[in-house]
Amino acid sequence: MTTAPYEDVPFSELLHHPAATARRLDAVRALRLRRRDAGDLALMRADQLERDASVVDFTARLLAGLVRTDNLATLRTLLPDALPWSVFLPDEDVQTMLAELAETARGAAALENLTPIALLLTQWRHTAEIHADPELHATLTREPEGDLGPVPAPASDALA
């Protein structure tokens, strides 16, 4: 029975003691294998990965169904619990974000790749950060003053 989400383990421990390291998965969902010169890796049981994928697929389909059936009022009410920064988004952006999230979640679940969802949430979080800072918002939405000068022609090798 797993009790913790993950445990940090040096990658070298897996290399030197593979069976003992793998047995640690009896107590945690996954092992985070720390590497010195590269990104960390995760080690988990295949059945756990499959369970996680089924939960993601269910959640994506549920979200898409809520958006399709016009339950936007409910979603808008619950959204700040899931994404606290969403309170800074204008109403029309919230609606756009929910539609994009539902579509992206369905596609990502079908591909069994959560990266598109994480990327979309990061992009919307940055949008909320801009709306939360009036000075930054004014700077980024202000029309430029005057002529910005000539635009250089692209290099000839860029056209190939």
Side-chain angles (χ1 to χ4, degrees):
M1 175 53 86
T2 60
T3 57
Y6 70 90
E7 180 181 336
D8 277 332
V9 176
F11 184 72
S12 60
E13 188 170 324
L14 175 66
L15 297 176
H16 297 298
H17 309 285
T21 304
R23 276 195 301 274
R24 292 172 115 166
L25 290 171
D26 292 338
V28 295
R29 290 183 68 244
L31 297 176
R32 182 182 190 132
L33 304 172
R34 290 187 320 275
R35 301 189 299 171
R36 277 186 235 138
D37 299 329
D40 292 349
L41 300 175
L43 179 65
M44 66 187 329
R45 295 181 188 276
D47 60 343
Q48 181 65 51
L49 180 65
E50 290 168 1
R51 285 191 299 269
D52 290 355
S54 69
V55 170
V56 169
D57 184 58
F58 163 76
T59 305
R61 291 174 190 276
L62 181 64
L63 176 63
L66 286 170
V67 171
R68 263 195 322 273
T69 58
D70 291 327
N71 282 315
L72 292 178
T74 302
L75 286 172
R76 284 176 191 252
T77 301
L78 299 174
L79 193 61
D81 291 335
L83 305 172
W85 46 261
S86 67
V87 299
F88 296 108
L89 294 173
D91 286 342
E92 60 274 3
D93 282 1
V94 170
Q95 185 168 343
T96 301
M97 181 186 68
L98 288 171
E100 289 179 6
L101 187 57
E103 185 176 314
T104 302
R106 267 198 326 268
L111 294 175
E112 297 179 4
N113 179 357
L114 302 180
T115 301
I117 300 169
L119 179 61
L120 181 71
L121 289 173
T122 299
Q123 292 168 339
W124 277 107
R125 181 183 179 121
H126 291 318
T127 300
E129 290 170 345
I130 291 167
H131 284 288
D133 183 338
E135 287 183 37
L136 179 59
H137 186 268
T139 300
L140 293 174
T141 58
R142 176 178 36 228
E143 286 293 324
E145 295 177 10
D147 186 358
L148 299 176
V151 175
S156 60
D157 61 334
L159 299 174

